[in-house]
Amino acid sequence: MPVVLAPLVVAYGHRAAKDPNLLWVNAQDRPRDHWVVQVGANDGRPHSNDPVCQAVKSGWNAVLLEPMAAAFARLASRYSNHTLSRVRLHNAAVCPTKAQKASCQEPTMPMYYVDFTNATGNWGTAQADARCLSAAGQHSLSEISSFSRSHLMKHQRMNNPYGGRACVGCSARLNRSYPINCLKFVIKHNIRSRDVRCACFDGDAAPHDEPRGAVDVLGGVPNTSLLVIDAEGHDDEVIAAYPLGRPRARPRRVIFEAKHLVPERFRAAVSRLQACGYECVQNCNASVPTRALGVWDAGAFASPTTLGTCE
């Protein structure tokens, strides 16, 4: 039988110096009895605070979701040496709609991203040439997608301070003159959308048997030890949709990115986790999201009555 550990929740940011979750993963006995579910897997490159790659390397089973086609292609290539029975890849996202929480009826939804190609016709323009983002060292923006256009616009505000130096570099790289505010509209004018396949947490379908159009993430998954969420500002909606009270689906540890959530939505996520038997024990702030690691420990499973409210 798998080792039963207390449920944990970790709210994290990308600058964590050393992640104790790697130690937690390595400490688990019988790794093939464990499953990790990751919502927002990107291209699968390991980060300092992302234990998913370590879990798979240690022999865990995995269900990895990534909605954007380019990142998913790199993810599939990274895990091409693993059998589908151990690592299941889905080019899909958990869509922010109440319908998907109860069923898999919602097949697709539009998702926004920053287009680095010239599909928008903005190459060569003074303040919206996406190639200048590379000069600013913002390559990662090509990997960010969200159901919220405003979430991408937040990155526009974050990139404005890079303008002067980046624009000098962009001028030199492309052999043309750009103004010092060349990044002023670079995200706003290059946002595009594409329909992505939706995912749900029914757990009814057999592996790779999704007759209703949407991806049933938990289909054929006997248990979940770890849930990792990086949904670019929609982590709270994934937490709201995930069946934390379902015994086989209930993760022993949950990691989610809090830094993109406004306080109200962060508190809603915290409230649901607390209602489902999770308790914060490290770097805790139940009111305001931070970049620091916050560890939530339930100590034991909640009562059947409490679990019933968390489906």
Side-chain angles (χ1 to χ4, degrees), residues 10-26 36-58 60 62-66 75 78-79 143 226-231 253-257 291 293:
V10 181
Y12 72 92
H14 287 299
R15 298 184 184 275
K18 183 174 178 61
D19 194 310
N21 294 297
L22 299 180
L23 301 176
W24 181 84
V25 167
N26 290 333
V36 55
V37 174
Q38 185 176 27
V39 178
N42 202 278
D43 61 5
R45 286 178 298 174
H47 300 290
S48 62
N49 55 354
D50 179 4
V52 175
C53 290
Q54 181 62 36
V56 174
K57 182 179 179 181
S58 299
W60 285 38
V63 181
L64 310 180
L65 279 73
E66 170 52 44
L75 178 71
R78 186 174 298 275
Y79 286 108
E143 302 169 352
L226 176 62
L227 172 64
V228 178
I229 309 168
D230 186 355
R253 176 168 290 190
V254 180
I255 303 174
F256 74 101
E257 188 176 51
R291 301 175 69 91
L293 287 174

Side-chain angles (χ1 to χ4, degrees), residues 230-297:
D230 186 355
E232 292 298 325
H234 291 275
D235 301 64
D236 58 324
E237 291 170 331
V238 177
I239 291 171
Y242 193 90
L244 295 169
R246 190 185 304 163
R248 290 195 311 165
R250 181 175 172 83
R252 300 168 184 178
R253 176 168 290 190
V254 180
I255 303 174
F256 74 101
E257 188 176 51
K259 67 180 182 180
H260 294 307
L261 297 176
V262 297
E264 181 181 0
R265 292 177 62 178
F266 174 70
R267 287 192 293 269
V270 167
S271 295
R272 173 167 170 78
L273 291 166
Q274 290 174 331
C276 296
Y278 295 87
E279 179 183 1
C280 185
V281 295
Q282 179 180 337
N283 296 328
C284 303
N285 189 329
S287 299
V288 181
T290 67
R291 301 175 69 91
L293 287 174
V295 179
W296 299 66
D297 187 355

Side-chain angles (χ1 to χ4, degrees), residues 162-196:
Y162 295 98
R165 184 173 57 185
C167 296
V168 171
C170 190
S171 297
R173 179 177 299 184
L174 301 179
N175 195 28
R176 60 185 304 145
S177 178
Y178 286 89
I180 60 172
N181 63 345
C182 70
L183 299 181
K184 185 175 182 179
F185 301 117
V186 71
I187 292 180
K188 179 179 180 180
H189 290 176
N190 287 289
I191 293 178
R192 304 186 71 197
S193 68
R194 63 180 292 267
D195 285 343
V196 298

